[in-house]
């Protein structure tokens, strides 16, 4: 029970079983408001090393205990306890299912053909709220059918689908992540571009209606496709007002309580802008916000192996020809080739870099904004 009209309930969801047959649970915190409104779903740490989102959820819970809300807010911290506990020495190797090699964030469900078929059942006069209710029931049944496949599913996909069942009724879905060595940035569906102004995040990546397995895509692709299909079938424009985002909140393997509070306030600013909070003064910060389309969010791969000093820092503007990194070549230490510079191929802003100084050829050294613009 919270200190206002908002009700807090804590339950546990079984997401996996270990080899001893013991259940692995995650807590699910649900805030229910006294007034009707949208549903919000927020999860963190689907990749085991990306732990900062848990601190963000901690701060969200503290704030929401003293905040009236409309609708419902569902919070699932540390949603992948398997990944969190995959350690090798000092490092958390929690990006992939260790048995099947699957990325923990690539097993969510989306069937474009089924969505297009559903869209054919929509009539010209059917109210949007009825369409949304029917479509959510359709999505939930499809996910349940996928989970019940007779030949079974890998661990990562089982985990993803159980979480997706929690998220399927949400109007706003936020998946909290971290990069290796990273600055704040966010993935935003192109149709929700205006929402970039509600978060306190300086770097925004606008992504198309293309499904690659992640939770944000599994959320917005069905609704985006439904809207497009109804427009094509009936010439009718419907607005379902469902949005989903991946928030990258700094570097993995570390938590920072102060920065977690900053990110919690950013999320509350967004929720307030969407009418979820009642009588709240959370508003977007005055800041420069830059955007880039996904096709201009480039990965710089190494064409060498060696030891690297990362000179350009995440979030730093770098002009073409300026140094990004300095490389040490162990086999050439006795001559002028022992050290060389890697220069920026164009004007760019690195968002993240590889976390280790030891680099193989073909490594993702940097991911960068190019052709960026001010919002």
């Amino acid at each position: 029970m919270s200190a206002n009209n908002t009700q807090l309930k804590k339950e546990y969801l079984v997401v996996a079983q270990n080899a001893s047959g013991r259940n692995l649970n995650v807590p699910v915190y649900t805030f229910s408001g006294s007034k009707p409104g949208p549903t919000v779903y927020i999860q963190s740490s689907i990749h085991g090393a990306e732990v900062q989102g848990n601190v963000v959820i901690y701060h969200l819970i503290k704030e929401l205990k003293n905040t009236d809300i409309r609708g419902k807010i569902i919070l699932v911290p540390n949603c992948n306890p398997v990944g969190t506990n995959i350690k090798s020495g000092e490092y958390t190797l929690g990006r992939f299912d260790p048995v099947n090699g699957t990325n923990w964030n690539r097993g969510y469900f989306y069937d474009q053909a089924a969505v297009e078929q559903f869209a054919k059942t929509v009539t010209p006069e059917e109210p949007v709220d009825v369409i949304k209710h029917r479509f959510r029931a359709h999505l939930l049944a499809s996910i349940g059918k996928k989970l019940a496949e007779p030949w079974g599913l890998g661990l990562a996909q089982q985990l993803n689908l159980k979480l997706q069942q929690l998220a399927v009724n949400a109007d706003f879905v936020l998946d909290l992540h971290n990069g290796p060595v990273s600055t704040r940035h966010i993935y935003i569906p192109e149709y929700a571009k205006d929402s970039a102004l509600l978060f306190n995040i300086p770097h925004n990546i606008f992504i198309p209606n293309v499904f690659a397995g992640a939770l944000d895509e599994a959320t917005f692709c069905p609704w985006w496709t439904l809207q497009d299909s109804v427009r094509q079938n009936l010439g009718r424009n419907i607005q379902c007002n469902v949005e989903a985002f991946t928030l990258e909140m700094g570097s993995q393997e570390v938590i920072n309580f102060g920065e977690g509070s900053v990110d919690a306030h950013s999320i509350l600013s967004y929720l307030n802008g969407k009418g979820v909070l009642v009588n709240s003064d959370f508003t977007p910060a005055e800041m420069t916000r830059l955007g880039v389309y996904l096709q201009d969010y480039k990965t710089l791969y190494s064409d060498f192996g060696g030891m690297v000093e990362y000179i350009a820092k995440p979030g730093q503007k770098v002009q073409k020809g300026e140094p990004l990194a300095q490389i040490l070549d162990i086999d050439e230490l006795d001559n002028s080739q022992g050290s060389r510079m890697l220069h920026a191929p164009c004007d760019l802003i690195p968002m993240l870099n590889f976390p280790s100084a030891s680099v193989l050829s073909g490594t993702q050294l940097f991911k960068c904004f190019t052709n960026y613009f001010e919002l």
Side-chain angles (χ1 to χ4, degrees), residues 194-344:
D194 290 346
S195 291
L197 302 177
L198 298 177
F199 291 98
N200 299 330
I201 297 178
H203 301 104
N204 301 269
I205 304 167
F206 299 113
I207 55 179
N209 187 16
V210 177
F211 179 67
L215 177 61
D216 59 344
E217 299 157 348
T219 300
F220 70 68
C221 282
W223 295 98
W224 193 338
T225 300
L226 176 65
Q227 292 177 171
D228 285 350
S229 297
V230 170
R231 185 181 305 111
Q232 292 171 12
N233 295 341
L234 302 175
R236 179 184 175 189
N237 290 317
I238 63 171
Q239 296 298 320
C240 296
N241 297 318
V242 175
E243 298 182 355
F245 311 93
T246 293
L247 282 67
E248 303 277 358
M249 300 168 303
S251 304
Q252 63 190 28
E253 290 280 39
V254 294
I255 64 171
N256 183 306
F257 279 83
E259 294 300 313
S261 178
V262 171
D263 284 310
H265 285 205
S266 172
I267 291 170
L268 291 166
S269 169
Y270 167 76
L271 296 181
N272 195 31
K274 292 298 181 180
V276 177
L277 309 185
V278 179
N279 298 324
S280 171
D281 58 2
F282 287 103
T283 55
E286 291 290 333
M287 64 190 307
T288 298
R289 292 173 173 85
L290 302 176
V292 70
Y293 289 102
L294 185 62
Q295 72 234 26
D296 292 320
Y297 185 46
K298 301 292 190 181
T299 300
L300 182 62
Y301 293 91
S302 68
D303 59 0
F304 57 83
M307 309 295 174
V308 175
E309 177 189 358
Y310 301 95
I311 297 173
K313 304 305 179 188
Q316 172 189 341
K317 289 185 177 180
V318 180
Q319 294 184 337
K320 180 178 180 179
E322 291 185 339
L324 290 173
Q326 185 168 6
I327 303 107
L328 186 70
D329 189 335
I330 302 301
D331 276 348
E332 306 291 345
L333 297 184
D334 57 346
N335 60 60
S336 61
Q337 300 303 309
S339 169
R340 65 184 178 91
M341 303 298 294
L342 175 68
H343 297 96

Side-chain angles (χ1 to χ4, degrees), residues 37-199:
T39 296
V40 179
Y41 176 83
I42 303 175
Q43 71 177 32
S44 66
S45 293
I46 192 65
H47 291 137
E50 300 178 17
V51 291
Q52 177 66 12
N54 300 314
V55 182
V56 177
I57 289 179
Y58 163 77
H59 285 291
L60 286 173
I61 291 173
K62 287 182 66 178
E63 292 286 354
L64 290 171
K65 282 182 176 180
N66 298 293
T67 304
D68 286 331
I69 69 168
R70 298 179 182 89
K72 183 183 295 184
I73 300 176
I74 304 167
L75 303 165
V76 187
N78 199 40
C79 68
N80 180 8
V82 181
T84 303
N85 287 286
I86 302 172
K87 304 290 289 188
S88 178
E90 300 93 338
Y91 299 100
T92 307
L93 304 181
R95 190 168 186 81
F96 301 97
D97 170 1
V99 178
N100 303 307
T102 309
N103 187 321
W104 290 112
N105 192 40
R106 293 294 183 270
Y108 297 97
F109 176 76
Y110 169 56
D111 185 339
Q112 180 174 336
V115 174
E116 292 170 347
Q117 190 65 35
F118 176 91
K120 294 178 180 178
T121 71
V122 175
T123 62
E125 66 281 353
E126 186 175 10
V128 174
D129 59 342
V130 175
I131 298 171
K132 291 176 68 174
H133 179 77
R134 287 202 305 116
F135 190 49
R136 284 197 165 105
H138 165 79
L139 293 174
L140 193 59
S142 298
I143 296 167
K145 183 178 179 181
K146 186 70 176 176
L147 266 171
E149 283 190 347
W151 294 102
L153 301 169
L155 176 57
Q157 194 167 19
Q158 289 183 35
L159 172 68
N160 286 170
L161 294 179
K162 289 175 182 178
L163 295 170
Q164 193 175 358
Q165 286 177 321
L166 289 180
V168 75
N169 287 320
D171 301 283
F172 309 118
V173 173
L174 282 70
D175 197 8
L176 309 185
H177 285 252
N178 299 95
V181 177
S182 178
T183 191
R184 286 187 181 92
H185 55 290
I186 181 171
Y187 291 86
I188 298 180
E190 289 177 7
Y191 71 80
K193 188 175 181 179
D194 290 346
S195 291
L197 302 177
L198 298 177
F199 291 98

